[in-house]
Amino acid sequence: MAAAARPLATVQSLENDMDTDGDAADNYLPLPDVMMAVIRPDLVVYVLDQFSNNSRRQFYAFSKKAGRQTSAESWGTDRAISRVPSGGTHQGALGNTCPGGRKFAPTKIWRRWQRAVNDTEKCHAILSAITASAVPSPVMARGHEIDEVPELPLVVSDSADGV
């Protein structure tokens, strides 16, 4: 397998069954600058992790009325009982420490559910992933069988459009 860190890529034709003619000068194209970027697997993993957090979570929250839908009223002062509103059983009804009462600090829908990723980080992660696809070792490490491929990146001539 040829080294992928060179400035030229060989154009493969379909007529020759992916064999190249080394004599023609038009069989080579310069690699784009994208293929020469720095490979940052840590950045790719970080950006994908942040995006996966965005698709996993579903917003949820308690109703604003939860624990307050009761007819309980406070008896006020001067009765030798607490001022927590109580129902007919003289149990507290609305306090956060009372059975059936409201929750303390209920979850809100404006919680930070999704993670924002910087546009620069996204661009660098995409560049790094494209660059890694032109190097054989990371491609094989992902489990792809590329033994039959003459070189990476594989550039096919325009005759492939007719297939």
Side-chain angles (χ1 to χ4, degrees):
M1 192 157 271
R6 62 180 178 276
L8 295 175
T10 306
V11 178
Q12 307 292 331
S13 63
L14 293 179
E15 295 84 29
N16 297 340
D17 194 30
M18 304 208 37
D19 290 335
T20 59
D21 294 333
D23 302 335
D26 59 346
N27 281 350
Y28 297 101
L29 287 176
L31 283 177
D33 293 337
V34 172
M35 298 293 183
M36 300 301 173
V38 177
I39 298 176
R40 294 272 316 269
D42 58 330
L43 186 62
V44 174
V45 168
Y46 170 74
V47 170
L48 287 177
D49 183 47
Q50 295 301 309
F51 279 131
S52 67
N53 286 338
N54 292 345
S55 63
R56 271 191 297 216
R57 299 299 302 268
Q58 182 176 2
F59 302 160
Y60 67 89
F62 286 95
S63 170
K64 291 181 181 179
K65 299 178 186 176
R68 296 177 191 233
Q69 296 171 313
T70 180
S71 60
E73 293 181 10
S74 173
W75 282 3
T77 57
D78 298 332
R79 292 222 182 183
I81 61 168
S82 67
R83 286 180 282 175
V84 174
S86 59
T89 59
H90 300 293
Q91 278 187 322
L94 297 183
N96 63 324
T97 58
C98 303
R102 64 173 171 80
K103 287 186 69 73
F104 169 75
T107 55
K108 305 287 196 276
I109 57 170
W110 56 82
R111 179 190 285 190
R112 186 178 169 221
W113 298 95
Q114 297 193 335
R115 301 292 184 249
V117 181
N118 291 341
D119 289 339
T120 306
E121 286 180 337
K122 278 191 274 191
C123 289
H124 284 294
I126 290 170
L127 285 175
S128 179
I130 291 172
T131 303
S133 69
V135 180
S137 57
V139 173
M140 288 190 289
R142 297 283 299 170
H144 298 285
E145 297 291 332
I146 57 171
D147 297 332
E148 303 295 324
V149 178
E151 67 179 7
L152 286 180
L154 181 63
V155 181
V156 183
S157 66
D158 289 338
S159 62
D161 289 340
V163 176

